Amino acid sequence: MSGADNQALIARLAAIVGGSYVLTSDNDCAPHVQDWRGRYHGKAACVVRPGNTDEVSAVVRACYAAGVAMVPQGGNTGLVGGGVPGQGGQEVVVSLSRLNRIRSIDAHNNTLIAEAGCTLVAVQAAAAESQRLFPLSLASEGSCQIGGNLATNAGGVHVLRYGNMRELTLGLEVVLPDGQVWDGLRGLRKDNTGYDLKQLFIGAEGTLGIITAAVLKLFPQPLSRTVAWLSIPGPATAIELLAHLRNACGERLSAFELIAGSALELVLRHIPGARSPLTRCGDWALLVELSDSASNADLAGLLGSALASELEAGRVLDAVVSSSEAQVRELWALRENISEAQKREGISIKHDVSVPVGAVPAFIEQADMALRKFFPGLRIVCFGHAGDGNLHYNLSQPDAADNPAFIAQTREVNRIVYDIVMSLGGSISAEHGIGILKREELKHYKSFVEIELMQQIKRAMDPENLMNPGKLL
């Protein structure tokens, strides 16, 4: 696109959304053209910030007519480069942050309609004001946005009980690549009238259209909650404890997080105010949460009874059960600050993988052994949602001086990790998506049939390849 054409498009976009909502200077665009980790840096023709669905539609129609590609962007908290423009400087970043209204809450249907630019914490707060719960919970919930959560099919810490975004969404409103608007904002739990179109856009990373609003499921608000930090011998014990606690506590078990001692060590080193939950924490820990909609539920007593036999048998080495909401928050902060602590420590080779729950110990054992054979002294920071088989498995050298040479071997490291994941029937991306980071790996680990089906859908819905090109496929 020539300079004159570029200026004409920018003028057209300014006429649609208002001049102050089209960003063109390097300083104004800077937060929108690099990812949270600082790994990917791009360049955009401009950043446009529409304020409603009609404006999004008009922006897309203008870009479509000009043959200009678009990069939908939410809170830009992604970890795989999915919301960052390329290097050419021709793409338009479409920021959804001004679409931040809660349109309605239906208490009888237990649903909420939120626009894509609502932060996750704003949706949680709106649900709480109606004595309801929206259960998605992520470390980035103060800044990540619902549109991005949908585009990546976010999971978080409560998938064990409530499911991921696919399971928490009943309907969508989407602007298609040519600017048409599909209004699928139906709060129905049963609708067998053909293809479930919303599922095409959830997890598609903005490559098929721009999600502008969603009907989200709500649940009874928990009025009782307790959390425990458990020191355990290892991952195999964790899976045994998961079965035991499910039997003992039923649906009250809402989170079950596995945390390596190396992850806790980084939090204690880098996060001000972080305190060790136990005198001796050991090599592995579990963070377990129970919740109940009854205000008088004795969850601490229930959890204590369930753990008594495990302490006696040595499957739990030590434990602390929260005695106040402040202690609940303090224990959760240790888990939620792991990613931030790793960022402060320095770059690492990150993996967001999933395996069948029962295969979690085998994956950790096999991957640890294979990697340390080729990289002696490697620091492995493993943590994640063991209750649903999703682990964040991150690798670096303890000495920062050795890290650049190790990071240069990312392809070889990934092959070791992902080959083990696939041998156990797992996935190379559990909740972060593919973006740029895993695009080439996807071709290696998905079958020809799967890749061709995805490409056929992309060609059918976005034949000009204008929606987030270069991502996912």
Side-chain angles (χ1 to χ4, degrees):
M1 184 170 62
S2 69
D5 289 339
N6 183 60
Q7 291 304 311
L9 176 59
I10 290 173
R12 174 67 183 133
L13 297 177
I16 294 169
V17 304
S20 62
Y21 297 118
V22 178
L23 313 179
T24 56
S25 73
D26 289 344
N27 284 341
D28 289 340
C29 291
H32 300 274
V33 297
Q34 65 178 2
D35 69 321
W36 175 79
R37 290 173 62 194
R39 180 165 186 164
Y40 297 104
H41 301 263
K43 187 176 181 181
C46 67
V47 177
V48 59
R49 301 179 62 226
N52 55 55
T53 300
D54 287 343
E55 288 187 0
V56 175
S57 175
V59 164
V60 172
R61 286 198 305 272
C63 292
Y64 180 81
V68 172
M70 294 153 276
V71 180
Q73 190 177 90
N76 200 21
T77 60
L79 298 173
V80 294
V84 179
Q87 298 291 327
Q90 300 294 307
E91 297 170 341
V92 170
V93 174
V94 183
S95 169
L96 282 300
S97 58
R98 291 179 61 219
L99 276 74
N100 56 10
R101 295 186 304 123
I102 303 295
R103 292 188 185 176
S104 65
I105 297 177
D106 186 337
H108 294 296
N109 199 42
N110 278 315
T111 53
L112 173 153
I113 298 181
E115 292 184 338
C118 291
T119 61
L120 175 53
V121 74
V123 172
Q124 293 169 342
E129 288 174 7
S130 295
Q131 289 74 54
R132 300 292 190 277
L133 170 73
F134 182 64
L136 183 69
S137 182
L138 312 172
S140 61
E141 60 194 27
S143 51
C144 68
Q145 296 173 9
I146 287 296
N149 298 150
L150 287 159
T152 56
N153 186 31
V157 299
H158 291 142
V159 169
L160 172 66
R161 181 169 179 178
Y162 298 102
N164 54 26
M165 281 299 283
R166 287 195 187 279
E167 295 164 281
L168 295 173
T169 305
L170 294 176
L172 293 180
E173 178 185 81
V174 182
V175 175
L176 303 176
D178 61 359
Q180 292 186 82
V181 178
W182 170 53
D183 183 357
L185 292 175
R186 292 181 287 276
L188 299 176
R189 287 165 174 79
K190 290 184 176 181
D191 181 4
N192 283 329
T193 54
Y195 302 130
D196 189 355
L197 296 177
K198 68 178 180 292
Q199 300 297 352
L200 286 172
F201 302 99
I202 300 174
E205 302 184 40
T207 60
L208 300 179
I210 300 178
I211 296 170
T212 51
V215 183
L216 305 174
K217 293 181 184 178
L218 303 180
F219 297 83
Q221 188 176 34
L223 299 178
S224 303
R225 182 166 71 142
T226 195
V227 168
W229 187 283
L230 315 178
S231 176
I232 61 172
T237 306
I239 303 308
E240 294 176 6
L241 282 167
L242 175 62
H244 172 69
L245 290 176
R246 274 180 155 163
N247 289 334
C249 305
E251 289 299 309
R252 297 180 182 87
L253 181 62
S254 54
F256 190 87
E257 299 288 297
L258 180 66
I259 302 165
S262 55
L264 177 62
E265 179 187 344
L266 291 180
V267 173
L268 298 178
R269 181 187 308 168
H270 292 291
I271 304 301
R275 298 184 303 169
S276 179
L278 297 168
T279 304
R280 297 180 62 186
C281 285
D283 292 334
W284 290 96
L286 285 171
L287 183 65
V288 175
E289 179 182 275
L290 302 187
S291 61
D292 197 296
S293 57
S295 60
N296 59 350
D298 182 14
L299 297 180
L302 176 64
L303 186 55
S305 297
L307 293 176
S309 61
E310 305 307 296
L311 283 159
E312 185 176 345
R315 286 185 287 271
V316 174
L317 305 176
D318 199 359
V320 57
V321 179
S322 63
S323 57
S324 66
E325 184 61 25
Q327 193 174 19
V328 167
R329 291 193 295 270
E330 186 176 317
L331 291 173
W332 264 117
L334 296 173
R335 163 64 181 87
E336 291 167 346
N337 277 306
I338 295 174
S339 293
E340 179 62 28
Q342 285 189 284
K343 183 180 179 181
R344 297 182 187 185
E345 177 75 8
I347 193 169
S348 60
I349 301 177
K350 295 183 180 295
H351 302 96
D352 161 52
V353 300
S354 64
V355 294
V357 172
V360 165
F363 165 74
I364 294 173
E365 180 181 5
Q366 292 177 30
D368 284 8
M369 185 181 302
L371 287 165
R372 288 193 166 118
K373 177 181 178 181
F374 291 99
F375 306 101
L378 184 68
R379 177 170 56 200
I380 299 174
V381 177
C382 179
F383 63 100
H385 322 301
D388 58 62
N390 174 195
L391 295 174
H392 304 300
Y393 189 79
N394 304 330
L395 314 166
S396 63
Q397 293 291 348
D399 188 338
D402 298 331
N403 225 21
F406 174 65
I407 299 299
Q409 300 179 80
T410 295
R411 184 178 293 274
E412 292 80 4
V413 171
N414 285 350
R415 188 67 67 241
I416 292 171
V417 173
Y418 292 152
D419 281 355
I420 294 170
V421 167
M422 298 307 290
S423 74
L424 295 171
S427 168
I428 66 170
S429 180
E431 62 180 1
H432 292 168
I434 298 299
I436 302 170
L437 180 66
K438 299 183 182 180
R439 187 181 55 194
E440 296 304 311
E441 301 288 356
L442 190 72
K443 291 194 298 185
H444 184 83
Y445 290 105
K446 281 284 190 182
S447 70
F448 170 81
V449 172
E450 289 172 305
I451 293 292
E452 180 58 25
L453 283 172
M454 288 193 288
Q455 288 177 337
Q456 287 179 23
I457 292 169
K458 173 69 170 173
R459 288 192 294 266
M461 298 186 67
D462 183 20
E464 303 301 322
N465 193 28
L466 299 181
M467 277 293 165
N468 216 9
K471 314 298 169 41
L472 183 59
L473 293 171

